[in-house]
Amino acid sequence: MAVDPRRTALGLGRFGLGARPGDLVRAEPIEEVLRREILSGLVPLPGGPDLSAAATLLSALQAEEQSRKLARAASPDAPMPEGPPAPPIQERIYQAEVAARLGLARDAPVGFVERLVWFWANHFTVSVVRGAQLRVSAGAFEREAIRPHVLGRFRDLLLAAATHPAMLIYLDNVASVGPNSPAGQRQRKGLNENLGRELLELHTLGVDGGYTQADVTALARILTGWSVLRDGHAEGLPGATAFRRGAHEPGPVTLLGRTYLDIGPEQLRLALDDLATHPATARHVAFRLARHFVADDPPPALVARLTRTFLDQDGDLSRLALALIEAPEAWDPVQRKIRSPQEFLTATLRGLALAPDPRMVTGGLAALGQPYWSAPAPNGYPDDAGTWASPEGMRARLDLAARTGQLAAGTDPMALAEAVLGPLATDETRTALRRAESRPQGVALVLMAPEFQRR
């Protein structure tokens, strides 16, 4: 198969993280590159603090800080340490996770699998906006619950995400107690339905998936007892997932017409297995995947093809990814999707071969409205052009492009356009670059070109 330079440029933007210098000159079709990345089964793992260590360290340092406060109170005349105070431990862990994610994005040859990680992490959102516990564990959630399963089966991804400590904390399952359980009778506590509701509405069936409020309550009952260890003992370290039998609602539960016996933690696993293979789940996942990669209003034929693949392949996500890149609708030459802020900033760093500074990136994404793991609600960051292409959003992008142009003042704008856009660059963009008053302005024009903003 002959190599089509325009298709290569399109594929690197639509399915990857953006072209780096030299990436548009390839000896094999981009479809084969993407297919090989999927079939390799390799999902890069970033270096970063693991969850249990982070939770333990947080507890230790909080205790250390409390000891220092007590010592200062006992010795008010003791000299204070010189220099600025160290950032809080949760901020240091968050920045370490950001740096690890940036390193993978910078070094990925194409980045299709990395994009899948981002997609699924947003599908199963946990957010640092809920406080310090999430700030130290959101990155670990992506590393531990999402990455190992993005090329595996959806049922395994669903179980890992639903029972990860970060999800149990984020959607308040740690506060959910079976009303008729020993703990519920003793403490007079009850159900929290947040996780049960979002598992049905967002993670599996979808809002129109045919479930009722009774099903939400039923799944919440099944989820009781799934919590997080507060103290280390034989079951694990602080911060680890634990099933607390004494807080679990006793008795069988009927969910979507099927009854699940009270057999401990297996009750949840069986219920999630059935949700993972439900036809409504297949349709919901297929639609969201097609919307993310291809168009805000995805072609019905593409959604139908992905739905069939999901069902026929028992939720095999590698087969689903292959079906996506093999679908003719996915290669529409019109760039219908606007890059999200994270995609835009990553493509900028890759195209200019800039070494990312985690704090600079964090500040830039905050200005653009999409900091890492910081979605305002459980439905994740929006995935439509209307959100990201607002007047305020585009002004923020223009400011970032201008600042980046100053950082890359030695870059030839025409060479940059050839490197990151190639045949996608329009005559209008090339004319604007020739008229640029300076190299920094020219770089900013490349970054703000419609061909670069869209994928």
Side-chain angles (χ1 to χ4, degrees), residues 285-302:
V285 168
F287 177 83
R288 293 198 66 170
L289 192 71
R291 183 180 64 183
H292 176 75
F293 281 98
V294 179
D296 290 351
D297 186 15
L302 174 60

Side-chain angles (χ1 to χ4, degrees), residues 107-169:
D107 298 336
V110 173
F112 184 33
V113 171
E114 194 67 10
R115 283 279 305 283
L116 290 172
V117 170
W118 295 11
F119 168 79
W120 287 114
N122 196 57
H123 183 84
F124 293 102
T125 287
V126 300
S127 178
V128 305
V129 300
R130 289 294 303 273
Q133 287 181 310
L134 273 301
R135 201 158 185 86
V136 300
S137 60
F141 171 80
E142 180 177 291
R143 186 173 63 255
E144 297 167 355
I146 304 299
R147 287 185 182 276
H149 304 292
V150 294
L151 296 179
R153 297 203 179 273
F154 181 75
R155 61 161 58 90
D156 298 324
L157 174 60
L158 176 63
L159 177 63
T163 59
H164 191 277
M167 184 67 77
L168 296 174
I169 293 169

Side-chain angles (χ1 to χ4, degrees), residues 49 52-70 72 85-94 132 136 238:
S52 295
T56 305
L57 183 58
L58 179 59
S59 299
L61 289 187
Q62 285 175 334
E64 179 183 325
E65 176 62 23
Q66 184 64 23
S67 297
R68 284 198 297 267
K69 288 180 179 178
L70 291 173
R72 286 197 296 269
I89 182 60
Q90 58 264 33
E91 184 61 25
R92 279 181 271 163
I93 290 174
Y94 176 78
V136 300

Side-chain angles (χ1 to χ4, degrees), residues 205 210-212 214-215 218 253-260 274-275 278:
L205 307 180
Y211 66 90
T212 66
D215 294 313
V253 177
T254 300
L255 171 66
L256 295 170
R258 181 168 294 186
T259 299
Y260 299 90
D274 287 339
L275 286 173
H278 197 286

Side-chain angles (χ1 to χ4, degrees), residues 191-210:
L191 293 175
N192 186 297
E193 297 184 347
N194 288 351
L195 181 54
R197 179 177 294 103
E198 306 308 358
L199 279 169
L200 294 173
E201 179 179 327
L202 301 177
H203 302 157
T204 59
L205 307 180
V207 68
D208 56 352

Side-chain angles (χ1 to χ4, degrees), residues 94 98 101-102 340-346 359-372 381 400:
Y94 176 78
V98 169
R101 199 196 217 218
L102 282 172
S340 72
Q342 290 181 12
E343 293 165 1
F344 166 56
L345 189 53
T346 300
R359 290 189 177 277
M360 181 191 75
V361 170
T362 300
L365 289 177
L368 295 173
Q370 197 186 28
Y372 287 128
Y381 280 117
L400 181 63

